[in-house]
Amino acid sequence: KLTIGTKLAVFWPDDNEFYPCVVHAHRAKPRASHPGYVYEIHYDDGEVETIDLSTERFKIIGGKVKRQPTREEDTKSNAAKESSNDSTKKRRRIMEESEEEMEFDEVVESSDEGEGDDSGSEYKGGGDDASVDDESLDAKNLSEDDWLASDDDEEKAPKKKTITKSAAAKNVTITRVNGAGGSTSVTPTPAKPSNNESGKNSSGDNMDLSNFAASGNKAARGAAPSAVDAVASRASSSPVPFKPASKNSASAAAKAPSSTKAPTAPAAVIPKPIPGQVNAAGTHMHNHLQFFTTNRRDAHRRPPTHPDYSPRTLYVDYNELAKKQDSGKLSAGQKQWWDIKSQYADTVLLFKTGKFYEMYHDDADVGAKVLNFVYMKGTSAHGGFPEAAYATMVHKLVEAGYRVARVEQTETPAALAERKKGMRKGQAKPQVVCREVCGIVSKGTRTFCYLEDARYLERGDKNGTTGPLVAIKEVLVKEEEEDAMKEDGNEEGGTKAVYEYGVTVVDAITGTVTLGQFADDVLRSRMLTLLTSFGPSEVLYEGGPSGASKSLLPFLKSACSPTTVIDCIKATEPFPKSTAVNSAHRQLLDRTQSDVHPWNVKEALREVHRRGYYPRSSRKKSEADIDPSAGEGIGRWPEILKTCVEGGASLALSSFGAALYFLQRSLVDAEILSMGIVKAYAPPNTS
């Protein structure tokens, strides 16, 4: 039984030593499906660590450390003693002189510990069903020729609250795997179905993991809207945006269908937008930008036809942009929007200005199409909604298959003025408050944080999507590996292994990560079972010459739900740079290089160690000298993940690296991985 002030000694496996510390604070785990407590402990040398003691080896080496109580604590303590003196003493009793190593049993809270504040967020200001009416939008119907020109009149950005996730899963168990480090066999070949195996649970709970550790319709938008599919009527009160062009099309205008009833004519000319009026979809300023439409490039200036082209980034020609402005130059706010868009070209930006989330250019086209917005006056496409409607609008966008980035003001005008004063003479001073991408929501990364409406999760709408994110690494089985599988597995009556898979399943709602590695037949029977069991809402697979086979994508489209988003993660992917003012925050959020290799096992494990999702296992070794891929510094990692590293489950770890990249890009990696809930998936023995 532990209380605040109890002296402990926690075991660090790599050092093979117990280090003394004191319990400073504790809180209940945020998931009701995984009850227990998380402790903040302070070591004698000043280091602070937040850990789950139920997964650690520790000893109680002394009683409660006396400290000078605050006035409030003293008042509470006196009141508690007067009401139940005997009961309190009994609950706080500990063995002060015991040096015996103990296992975690339970926690009894001290009676003078108050519960945390659970007040609601100021974002939930409207009501249960926040919506946007036409009058509230018309009140914001400002001229768009000078949008985002200044932040002087912006209201103070709202405070951020602690994000908690709703518990939505039953209790799960993790089967501990021992002795996997000496395994030299490859994944056994799948066997024929057996009657006595049909009732086994495919989730991996309490299963034999001998098959586990081995040695061996894209809905997200990334292209600009087509400029000449049709010209919408200017008389329309609610214009409809053009259908987005194909990502692989270098020129959307060249593919416009010709009419059999009209005589042959040159390509349609896009009407220019009229200042001061509500312009039709497809006629706004961004539809006339060559770098955004017909001459689109990624950040490395590669065209869509290039094999390494990345739809996640965009090359922005600021000279062309400036020429489209009446003043001949961009405002600081406009440049800030394009800077962020260049790193999130496949994502809808909800750009915070004051108390409103604004949508500009192609994002405004999405708002008009999905959210039924009416464009605001001006040459630039523009729409928006108050922050109280965030949950409703994001839900509609995500269910339509879009990724949505929340761009928040992380600096007030007063803080901007102070930052300017502290800058050196001659240094370029910022003209707009700092804004950062604070989170990206997609079908597979929805955590239902305090900004979202959890009722979509609670009532289980059939039209809602709550399935997990699944990352799949596929390789073809070589002949020598196949022979080894036959020797290790059930050769008699077995089926031929054609593929071998590594999979990572991330349930963002419950914070559970499931790892697996297995061989499969030509029909991909085991993979079909996995997809049917988990019902993913978003699937990641490896593209490029060294990626998955060409038949995997058609298989995924047929095996998954029509609403499932299937995304290709290439061997090399760009990683966005943080725009945070604080350099320490930028260093933490950024990867060590701008182009990362998501499927690379060594790079992924180093990133896990660098970000510190799990407790360190050595206080003596330098951080730079630790190589997690060699089994160093992983002594306190979750057991299943540690078994994958020690057992050489390279395919499972490769898929984990891709999932890690996607979670980091969505800024939910720490929220999910730091919970330390890692399970194993072992497929049922079916052919």
Side-chain angles (χ1 to χ4, degrees):
K1 295 181 180 180
L2 305 175
T3 59
I4 294 177
T6 302
K7 296 185 67 175
L8 306 176
V10 177
F11 183 73
W12 289 56
D14 284 12
D15 298 343
N16 197 27
E17 288 187 19
F18 285 88
Y19 291 100
C21 58
V22 177
V23 176
H24 187 266
H26 63 79
R27 57 180 172 82
K29 291 183 180 178
R31 305 293 187 196
S33 57
H34 303 283
Y37 290 83
V38 177
Y39 290 84
E40 179 182 317
I41 58 177
H42 290 203
Y43 290 93
D44 291 351
D45 60 357
E47 182 175 349
V48 179
E49 198 173 38
T50 302
I51 59 175
D52 179 3
L53 288 175
S54 64
T55 63
E56 301 288 340
R57 291 175 59 189
F58 69 94
K59 298 186 294 187
I60 296 179
I61 60 176
K64 188 172 181 180
V65 177
K66 293 183 179 181
R67 60 184 177 88
Q68 188 67 25
T70 63
R71 180 178 301 176
E72 182 180 358
E73 291 175 337
D74 191 44
T75 303
K76 289 183 178 180
S77 178
N78 292 336
K81 288 180 180 179
E82 292 176 2
S83 61
S84 55
N85 188 39
D86 294 338
S87 175
T88 303
K89 287 183 178 180
K90 183 177 180 180
R91 294 175 66 189
R92 293 187 179 182
R93 190 184 312 157
I94 58 175
M95 300 298 296
E96 295 188 354
E97 298 180 357
S98 174
E99 287 289 338
E100 179 183 0
E101 184 176 339
M102 303 177 64
E103 283 198 17
F104 183 89
D105 181 29
E106 62 176 327
V107 177
V108 177
E109 291 187 50
S110 178
S111 60
D112 60 351
E113 289 297 315
E115 305 216 350
D117 182 17
D118 204 18
S119 59
S121 168
E122 63 185 45
Y123 282 95
K124 298 182 179 179
D128 291 340
D129 271 319
S131 60
V132 184
D133 55 12
D134 292 339
E135 293 181 1
S136 64
L137 291 178
D138 290 341
K140 290 180 72 274
N141 229 358
L142 306 174
S143 173
E144 284 308 296
D145 295 329
D146 298 318
W147 63 278
L148 287 180
S150 173
D151 281 300
D152 293 340
D153 298 330
E154 288 179 349
E155 299 184 39
K156 186 177 181 180
K159 285 186 177 180
K160 295 183 181 179
K161 302 280 186 174
T162 303
I163 297 176
T164 58
K165 297 187 280 185
S166 303
K170 298 180 180 179
N171 285 335
V172 293
T173 59
I174 298 178
T175 303
R176 190 175 294 271
V177 181
N178 295 320
S183 175
T184 57
S185 62
V186 293
T187 307
T189 181
K192 285 187 176 181
S194 175
N195 293 332
N196 58 356
E197 296 289 341
S198 59
K200 283 194 175 183
N201 180 8
S202 63
S203 66
D205 293 347
N206 298 324
M207 297 184 67
D208 180 13
L209 301 183
S210 59
N211 295 346
F212 175 56
S215 60
N217 79 8
K218 180 130 172 120
R221 179 184 49 81
S226 172
V228 293
D229 288 344
V231 177
S233 173
R234 288 180 178 272
S236 173
S237 61
S238 181
V240 179
F242 292 123
K243 183 178 180 181
S246 170
K247 292 183 179 179
N248 296 327
S249 172
S251 175
K255 294 190 175 183
S258 60
S259 174
T260 56
K261 296 182 180 180
T264 304
V269 178
I270 305 174
K272 293 185 178 181
I274 301 176
Q277 293 189 12
V278 177
N279 292 278
T283 64
H284 290 96
M285 185 264 289
H286 69 273
N287 300 115
H288 296 266
L289 296 173
Q290 292 186 7
F291 76 85
F292 204 61
T293 54
T294 59
N295 192 30
R296 195 179 182 93
R297 300 284 191 272
D298 65 8
H300 293 287
R301 301 195 183 188
R302 295 175 295 213
T305 55
H306 194 282
D308 295 328
Y309 170 77
S310 174
R312 307 183 198 282
T313 62
L314 171 70
Y315 167 70
V316 178
D317 188 344
Y318 288 101
N319 291 329
E320 183 183 359
L321 268 177
K323 293 178 182 178
K324 296 293 183 181
Q325 310 300 319
D326 294 337
S327 61
K329 63 179 181 179
L330 288 174
S331 69
Q334 289 173 316
K335 187 177 185 306
Q336 186 183 54
W337 188 91
W338 283 105
D339 286 343
I340 297 176
K341 190 66 175 180
S342 66
Q343 299 190 84
Y344 298 93
D346 64 338
T347 307
V348 176
L349 302 184
L350 302 183
F351 201 76
K352 190 68 168 293
T353 57
K355 295 292 184 180
F356 281 80
Y357 287 106
E358 310 289 358
M359 303 173 72
Y360 297 105
H361 303 306
D362 62 329
D363 297 336
D365 290 339
V366 175
K369 177 182 177 180
V370 178
L371 307 177
N372 296 322
F373 283 175
V374 177
Y375 291 111
M376 300 177 71
K377 295 179 181 179
T379 58
S380 296
H382 179 198
F385 56 87
E387 62 184 10
Y390 175 85
T392 301
M393 300 305 177
V394 167
H395 178 74
K396 292 180 179 180
L397 291 170
V398 170
E399 290 303 322
Y402 293 96
R403 295 190 185 94
V404 184
R406 179 169 54 89
V407 184
E408 295 284 357
Q409 295 177 192
T410 56
E411 186 180 43
T412 63
L416 174 62
E418 289 295 325
R419 181 156 62 101
K420 288 181 180 179
K421 292 179 182 179
M423 300 181 71
R424 298 188 304 272
K425 186 177 180 180
Q427 187 177 2
K429 296 184 178 181
Q431 301 300 318
V432 65
V433 296
C434 178
R435 288 183 174 89
E436 302 175 45
V437 174
C438 295
I440 297 179
V441 183
S442 64
K443 286 193 173 185
T445 60
R446 294 189 73 178
T447 60
F448 288 92
C449 69
Y450 72 107
L451 287 175
E452 297 186 62
D453 192 348
R455 291 177 300 174
Y456 295 116
L457 174 65
E458 294 169 355
R459 62 180 176 233
D461 288 347
K462 292 183 179 179
N463 296 328
T465 303
T466 57
L469 170 74
V470 176
I472 301 173
K473 170 72 175 182
E474 180 191 72
V475 296
L476 295 177
V477 177
K478 299 178 181 179
E479 293 184 2
E480 56 270 19
E481 293 178 351
E482 181 184 348
D483 295 337
M485 289 181 183
K486 289 182 179 180
E487 294 177 1
D488 185 73
N490 183 12
E491 182 178 2
E492 183 178 356
T495 57
K496 181 179 180 180
V498 178
Y499 306 102
E500 191 168 11
Y501 290 104
V503 293
T504 297
V505 182
V506 180
D507 189 339
I509 299 174
T510 63
T512 302
V513 178
T514 305
L515 302 176
Q517 180 169 319
F518 53 87
D520 210 348
D521 55 33
V522 67
L523 298 178
R524 296 184 170 95
S525 302
R526 286 180 165 180
M527 179 56 66
L528 180 61
T529 300
L530 182 145
L531 296 174
T532 304
S533 301
F534 286 100
S537 59
E538 198 161 7
V539 177
L540 311 177
Y541 73 96
E542 185 179 13
S546 60
S549 61
K550 294 181 179 180
S551 61
L552 179 61
L553 181 58
F555 167 78
L556 293 175
K557 291 181 177 179
S558 63
C560 297
S561 168
T563 60
T564 301
V565 176
I566 303 175
D567 195 2
C568 173
I569 304 294
K570 296 183 179 179
T572 302
E573 288 281 355
F575 196 84
K577 291 290 185 182
S578 172
T579 58
V581 175
N582 189 300
S583 59
H585 292 170
R586 289 199 307 270
Q587 185 177 4
L588 179 65
L589 295 174
D590 289 342
R591 293 286 286 257
T592 54
Q593 50 193 6
S594 58
D595 288 334
V596 301
H597 306 89
W599 303 94
N600 185 279
V601 174
K602 189 172 184 178
E603 186 173 322
L605 294 179
R606 280 190 175 276
E607 183 64 16
V608 171
H609 177 71
R610 184 185 75 88
R611 292 295 298 269
Y613 302 121
Y614 310 119
R616 295 184 299 119
S617 60
S618 176
R619 294 162 60 87
K620 297 180 179 179
K621 295 182 180 179
S622 171
E623 295 294 308
D625 297 335
I626 295 177
D627 182 9
S629 61
E632 301 174 358
I634 64 173
R636 299 171 73 189
W637 285 18
E639 192 67 28
I640 297 299
L641 182 58
K642 184 168 63 173
T643 300
C644 287
V645 177
E646 295 172 346
S650 58
L651 298 183
L653 294 174
S654 179
S655 66
F656 178 75
L660 173 65
Y661 163 80
F662 202 77
L663 294 177
Q664 285 185 332
R665 188 176 173 88
S666 301
L667 297 173
V668 294
D669 52 310
E671 188 176 357
I672 295 174
L673 298 180
S674 61
M675 297 186 68
I677 307 172
V678 182
K679 298 171 55 180
Y681 176 81
N685 291 325
T686 58
S687 60

